[in-house]
Amino acid sequence: MALPAPKQDVTDARLAAMTLPEGGVWARSAREDALARVMAMGLPTPRDEYWKYTNPTSLVAAAAPEAALHENDAIPLYDGIDRLKVVFVDGSFDAEASDDLTLEGVEIERLSDVTQMDIHWAKDLYGVLETNGQKPVERPMAALNTAYATDGLVIRATGQVAKPIALIYKHESTTSDAILHHVIRVEEGADLTLLENGPAAARFNKAMEVDVADKGAFHHVRAQGRDHERRANTHLFGRLGTESVFKSFTLTANGRLTRNEVVLELTGDDAQAHVAGAALGDGDFHHDDTVFITHDAVNCESRQVFKKVLRNGAVGVFQGKILVQPGAQKTDGYQISQSLLLDDDSQFLAKPELEIYADDVICSHGSTSGAIDEGALFYLRSRGVPEGPATDLLVLSFLAEAIDEIENEAIAADILSRLEAWLARRRS
Amino acid sequence: MLEIKNLHVKLEEEDKQILKGVDLTLEPGKVHAIMGPNGAGKSTLSYVLSGKDGYEVTEGSATLLGEDILEMEPEERASAGLFLAFQYPVEIPGVGNMTFLRTAVNAQRKARGEEELSAGEFLKIVREKAKSLKIDADMLKRPVNVGFSGGEKKRNEILQMAMLEPKMCILDETDSGLDVDAMKLVSEGVNALRDEGRSFLVITHYQRLLDHIKPDLVHIMADGRIVKTGGPELALEVENNGYTDILEEVA
């Protein structure tokens, strides 16, 4: 079937500017398949229902729009946490700045090495969860990523991983256009914590496919940097086995355009999936969390907790879905999306959805938009806390439910201090 | 300490006069009680004095230690020494009680040009004061007033008062929702703070609280004015006969 002309045009324009990376047999075939998916679906345009609230034009355009650089933090995030550092600068691996990729309980390789091999275990995963995630909603930007990703990490956790793996994404070129793809397999009973931090590039397309085997645990905490002008479209695909745990938290403060998609499938009984996000936007900021969780097993729990603080015309979007397949009894699904609008210029657009084909489930969803609670503000001020710091306390109070989703206390404290700093900068 | 003269207040949003000329002078070290029927304007008086939005002063004045407080922001009034113990303390999820207390104490110290308390110093003082109010470590850790019982909330108000050491304390129906034991505990907390340099304005419906916190003077408020002032025996009269006789007598 032919694509509508505008979609065909943007797809052609983007693809004309790109070449499939060279590679071994398996990688070449995975990339060609992905490219075929892109051509069949076409890249997103503002007319697409799934992109109704977020204009994809700048994410799809042949060239990345320029993005000014932001000064780096004096003290990097996760600084006090013992971690294995892997650095990418504008999407290119920086061996000098990275730690040696050996760590107890895990095998870490680079995608650019793995794709040169004729055969590798990653072939059973690379592009596989992405392909599964194309139904029932198309995600052409993820297929584009599978086709053209230049690098990334291929991680196989086989036991209790000795320390968190921290991906650091630096942005040093105002026109960089980075495409990274990570493949992660958490084997049975293994436990991996993955941290991400940084703006990555002027424009960043990142995909991560995470396969968590039975009784495995995957913990993920990401912060998307402080750059104001960068754009990012990320996909996090997850497949959860029996009694596995998947927990992901994202902090987004600043960024002109962000679309974070999370696509999880609970395929084994008694699994637990939590995704949470805190977004803080001031001015030219558009942040979109698009989440799709499918329950396809018995007695699983999923939580979506997304909070956004918006001011000076910032825009927040939430599209969240819980799909409970026939037979996925005893599902416990929870979804909350809330925005705190600090002025009348800011906007929050939410589309919460439940689709349930099993009869013995508990599913709830809520979405709210509100201002600072005047009663609480007066209470704090009556104790001597000036309006600015009192408002900040109430903002942190609003975000608390999302931050609470971070299990590791030291990491949670670090994220919290980032939030406090962001608020404090806006007060002076 | 507190001097209120001919205070007239209306609601900002609608044309409704709530206070119609309140006069009250409170000397340092004294405890005054305000009693009165529902709708007399007692809570409005406490809100107007502490700076809550939504009220408009149309006439009159209020000064704390000679300073006009009506033009001040709520936090400035607090730093100047005013404290309101809320009838309904507000719940603030996600903000630890301890964080809240320390932020408040240090904000006031900063506003007065005093050195902020270190975490260690603060902890020592708060533990000591919490103990006498039977507030345990768990209550200090929990988010502000979240999941607190009625009694716990009121004890928490008194703890804030003890930590902030205000000069002028207004207690707005602190006895509401308290059982006998909790009332005793709260009253003991208040009495421990009685001091030559500190005054209290106790708003209550019931004489019972005044058995524990003994007032120097009792004012009866009705329809936006103070209509009668007397000694502690006036509270007993209210307890026994209600407001009807008093209101008829002054009408």
Side-chain angles (χ1 to χ4, degrees):
Chain A
M1 202 174 70
L3 296 171
K7 193 179 268 293
Q8 189 67 61
D9 291 347
V10 298
T11 306
D12 290 348
R14 179 69 185 270
L15 296 182
M18 307 178 85
T19 27
L20 280 190
E22 293 296 319
V25 180
W26 76 268
R28 190 77 201 173
S29 119
R31 290 184 190 282
E32 280 166 2
D33 288 352
L35 181 57
R37 287 195 292 281
V38 175
M39 294 202 287
M41 292 184 273
L43 293 175
T45 68
R47 293 178 64 91
D48 294 4
E49 181 62 26
Y50 213 48
W51 290 85
K52 193 173 170 181
Y53 304 121
T54 297
N55 188 333
T57 305
S58 63
L59 296 171
V60 172
E66 267 193 45
L69 306 179
H70 192 273
E71 58 182 285
N72 286 319
D73 287 312
I75 301 167
L77 193 65
Y78 315 129
D79 193 47
I81 291 152
D82 186 23
R83 65 210 195 277
L84 183 135
K85 293 195 281 278
V86 184
V87 180
F88 291 90
V89 180
D90 293 306
S92 299
F93 179 71
D94 184 342
E96 197 97 321
S98 300
D99 291 332
D100 180 36
L101 301 183
T102 44
L103 185 63
E104 197 186 320
V106 66
E107 295 158 14
I108 309 169
E109 294 169 276
R110 283 177 56 199
L111 183 75
S112 55
D113 292 334
V114 165
T115 48
Q116 299 307 317
M117 299 174 189
D118 282 336
I119 190 75
H120 191 274
W121 66 264
K123 83 170 177 49
D124 295 330
L125 211 47
Y126 186 81
V128 172
L129 297 191
E130 174 258 296
T131 307
N132 292 347
Q134 299 292 352
K135 280 180 196 153
V137 186
E138 292 180 349
R139 304 170 201 282
M141 295 301 284
L144 184 80
N145 180 300
T146 302
Y148 293 100
T150 51
D151 211 344
L153 291 186
V154 177
I155 299 173
R156 194 165 78 95
T158 51
Q160 174 70 45
V161 180
K163 57 187 176 187
I165 298 172
L167 307 181
I168 297 157
Y169 302 121
K170 292 189 175 166
H171 172 206
E172 292 182 0
S173 150
T174 55
T175 56
S176 54
D177 192 12
I179 306 182
L180 293 180
H181 194 121
H182 308 301
V183 175
I184 297 164
R185 164 90 181 159
V186 178
E187 299 289 359
E188 187 168 340
D191 191 329
L192 170 71
T193 298
L194 185 78
L195 307 176
E196 294 182 284
N197 180 36
R203 182 170 72 178
F204 190 32
N205 180 332
K206 189 200 72 183
M208 184 147 82
E209 296 176 282
V210 185
D211 190 20
V212 187
D214 299 351
K215 296 190 169 72
F218 176 69
H219 294 270
H220 175 229
V221 178
R222 114 176 112 168
Q224 297 184 288
R226 281 174 57 188
D227 289 32
H228 291 276
E229 298 181 4
R230 62 112 188 105
R231 290 170 163 82
N233 185 190
T234 76
H235 288 85
L236 172 56
F237 297 97
R239 181 165 63 192
L240 282 77
T242 303
E243 289 176 47
S244 66
V245 172
F246 184 109
K247 290 191 177 178
S248 173
F249 171 89
T250 300
L251 168 69
T252 312
N254 307 341
R256 178 163 286 163
L257 178 61
T258 310
R259 161 109 156 188
N260 292 331
E261 298 193 30
V262 180
V263 186
L264 302 182
E265 203 183 357
L266 295 128
T267 60
D269 296 347
D270 305 303
Q272 204 184 53
H274 291 194
V275 279
L280 300 110
D282 183 358
D284 196 356
F285 173 91
H286 182 110
H287 181 92
D288 176 338
D289 286 301
T290 289
V291 181
F292 200 115
I293 296 184
T294 305
H295 282 260
D296 204 4
V298 174
N299 202 32
C300 291
E301 181 204 290
S302 72
R303 280 173 71 82
Q304 302 174 35
V305 181
F306 288 88
K307 305 262 186 164
K308 295 176 172 63
V309 179
L310 306 167
R311 53 184 268 174
N312 289 327
V315 179
V317 175
F318 176 79
Q319 304 189 96
K321 179 151 183 169
I322 305 172
L323 170 62
V324 180
Q325 296 286 27
Q329 303 295 6
K330 306 285 179 195
T331 287
D332 181 354
Y334 174 76
Q335 179 195 89
I336 184 92
S337 64
Q338 296 181 302
S339 75
L340 180 62
L341 304 175
L342 295 179
D343 53 46
D344 293 340
D345 302 328
S346 302
Q347 250 194 92
F348 179 53
L349 305 156
K351 193 170 80 174
E353 290 180 284
L354 293 180
E355 197 175 328
I356 301 173
Y357 297 102
D359 56 9
D360 184 16
V361 304
I362 304 168
C363 279
S364 64
H365 66 90
S367 184
T368 65
S369 227
I372 286 280
D373 178 347
E374 289 297 329
L377 186 63
F378 173 62
Y379 188 61
L380 291 170
R381 294 180 72 188
S382 79
R383 298 303 180 247
V385 185
E387 190 173 5
T391 304
D392 290 356
L393 265 184
L394 294 176
V395 168
L396 294 174
S397 160
F398 168 77
L399 293 172
E401 190 187 359
I403 312 286
D404 282 349
E405 291 292 331
I406 306 172
E407 239 170 57
N408 183 310
E409 281 183 19
I411 294 172
D414 211 10
I415 292 288
L416 191 61
S417 69
R418 294 285 139 156
L419 289 170
E420 285 168 347
W422 189 93
L423 293 167
R425 277 195 298 276
R426 266 146 196 85
R427 231 195 296 129
S428 47
Chain B
M1 175 69 67
L2 181 68
E3 183 133 33
I4 304 169
K5 280 186 188 156
N6 195 30
L7 190 64
H8 286 67
V9 171
K10 69 180 271 291
L11 290 181
E12 223 164 51
E13 298 283 310
E14 48 186 304
D15 201 19
K16 191 176 171 193
Q17 200 73 30
I18 312 274
L19 300 184
K20 302 171 180 174
V22 174
D23 286 286
L24 182 76
T25 302
L26 190 44
E27 308 291 343
K30 300 291 182 189
V31 176
H32 287 197
I34 295 188
M35 303 181 77
N38 293 323
K42 303 185 298 293
S43 286
T44 296
L45 178 64
S46 72
Y47 287 145
V48 169
L49 291 174
S50 50
K52 191 175 182 178
D53 277 347
Y55 301 99
E56 189 186 330
V57 176
T58 52
E59 213 183 319
S61 66
T63 58
L64 178 68
L65 294 163
E67 270 192 276
D68 176 9
I69 53 170
L70 295 179
E71 289 301 311
M72 294 183 186
E73 297 293 340
E75 58 268 29
E76 292 169 339
R77 302 179 197 207
S79 302
L82 187 76
F83 181 90
L84 170 65
F86 280 52
Q87 183 181 358
Y88 304 108
V90 180
E91 297 185 4
I92 307 178
V95 176
N97 209 12
M98 197 78 111
T99 308
F100 164 62
L101 279 169
R102 200 167 137 218
T103 307
V105 167
N106 280 336
Q108 290 203 16
R109 293 180 75 97
K110 199 174 156 197
R112 289 194 291 260
E114 298 163 13
E115 188 98 355
E116 295 187 17
L117 288 180
S118 73
E121 288 169 311
F122 174 80
L123 200 63
K124 191 164 163 258
I125 301 170
V126 82
R127 277 200 183 131
E128 192 182 304
K129 302 205 174 192
K131 201 174 159 196
S132 61
L133 285 160
K134 296 208 167 79
I135 291 175
D136 59 18
D138 181 55
M139 249 177 90
L140 287 172
K141 257 207 304 249
R142 270 150 59 188
V144 181
N145 294 324
V146 177
F148 284 27
S149 70
E152 285 174 333
K153 282 182 182 170
K154 296 300 170 77
R155 265 147 59 201
N156 202 31
E157 291 292 287
I158 305 306
L159 174 64
Q160 291 165 38
M161 193 161 92
M163 289 303 297
L164 294 167
E165 301 184 319
K167 300 191 183 84
M168 177 67 233
C169 309
I170 304 172
L171 277 58
D172 187 8
E173 297 198 25
T174 294
D175 50 341
S176 70
L178 292 189
D179 62 33
V180 183
D181 293 336
M183 191 183 305
K184 201 159 166 264
L185 200 60
V186 164
S187 305
E188 279 167 8
V190 172
N191 287 332
L193 291 168
R194 287 184 72 162
D195 177 289
E196 278 175 15
R198 184 173 290 132
S199 307
F200 291 85
L201 191 59
V202 181
I203 297 171
T204 181
H205 273 293
Y206 303 105
Q207 193 269 336
R208 208 170 43 172
L209 179 67
L210 305 179
D211 282 342
H212 298 289
I213 305 172
K214 296 208 160 49
D216 297 293
L217 279 182
V218 174
H219 307 279
I220 306 296
M221 196 168 173
D223 193 27
R225 286 184 198 88
I226 287 171
V227 294
K228 188 169 185 180
T229 297
E233 70 285 353
L234 190 54
L236 276 171
E237 198 185 322
V238 169
E239 181 82 356
N240 295 330
N241 307 327
Y243 293 110
T244 323
D245 290 356
I246 296 170
L247 296 183
E248 275 175 7
E249 175 196 326
V250 299

